[in-house]
Amino acid sequence: MKYLLDTANLDEIRELSEYLPIAGVTSNPTIVKREGAVPFFAHMREIRTIIGSLRPLHIQVTARNYDGMMRDAEAVFRHVDEKVFIKVPVDFAGVKVIKALKRQGANVTATAVYGMDQAFIALEAGADCIAPYFNRMEALGVDAANVIGSIAGIINHYGYETEILAASFKQPAQIDRAILAGAHSVTVSPNILREIFAKKVVTDAIQVFADDWSDLYGGKMLTELDE
Ligand SMILES: O=C[C@H](O)COP(=O)(O)O
């Protein structure tokens, strides 16, 4: 079970990967757009510097056809590095790209997955990761946990090495459901991750501990007590 950051914000990546067990970083063009028209490859190289070479960095192609997506992938390899997971939307052309990149030995993430049909084809095309869009499926009335559970079942049944990298979360409870359904990893925006720790019951409980300690020892910290 791994948590990735679904953001291109450098400050957030620095802080959250220092505090939380963050396994990598993902983005897509919409996420990059939130940072403004940054120098794209330099920005991605900076993310790589922050997370290091061992944690996966997923970067999405932007072209709409096979040749363009392959050129996008080559540009990412040239300007960032060859370990990047190339995120490829699972449309008709995207499946051809997934197959071709896997023949080259590249790391590939199949994205924009809204159902089992796309996921099963991406599995068979050899994708390393499949990114089902949890919240977007729920918004369509699809049982997202069931989709993830079914993909996980097929992966286990046939022995695929592909991992489910669940994406598109709008509430912490959706992350829980994706993991329980069988997602190997989840990619989550910084604000949703922070929400996990901002629950009032949690902050209240911790404050009571602090208040009780302060009452007991007249405001002295544990390290200020006599031996
Ligand atoms: O790259 C995939 C994103 O996780 C999609 O998230 P979103 O539904 O919040 O745009």
Side-chain angles (χ1 to χ4, degrees), residues 6 28 31 34 60 87 111 133 136 167-170 187:
D6 207 16
N28 62 32
I31 288 169
R34 292 182 198 132
Q60 190 160 324
K87 280 179 79 181
T111 193
Y133 279 4
R136 295 195 198 192
S168 177
F169 295 105
K170 290 289 171 278
T187 186

Side-chain angles (χ1 to χ4, degrees), residues 35 39 45 50 56 77 87 96 151 156 174 218 222:
E35 306 309 307
R45 287 195 297 269
I50 296 168
F77 294 143
K87 280 179 79 181
K96 184 176 177 186
I151 301 168
N156 291 337
Q174 293 175 321
L222 187 145

Side-chain angles (χ1 to χ4, degrees), residues 98-153:
I98 293 169
K99 288 186 351 176
L101 288 174
K102 285 315 298 172
R103 276 197 301 273
Q104 292 177 12
N107 295 317
V108 181
T109 297
T111 193
V113 170
Y114 283 78
M116 293 177 216
D117 45 8
Q118 285 170 287
F120 294 159
I121 288 177
L123 274 179
E124 194 51 18
D128 299 283
C129 303
I130 292 185
Y133 279 4
F134 201 99
N135 183 70
R136 295 195 198 192
M137 282 193 277
E138 289 208 319
L140 294 171
V142 174
D143 183 343
N146 179 53
V147 169
I148 289 175
S150 301
I151 301 168

Side-chain angles (χ1 to χ4, degrees), residues 71-89:
R71 280 195 297 271
D72 285 351
E74 282 158 24
V76 169
F77 294 143
R78 196 164 57 249
H79 296 298
V80 185
D81 63 50
E82 297 198 342
K83 296 179 75 175
V84 169
F85 281 71
I86 304 296
K87 280 179 79 181
V88 182

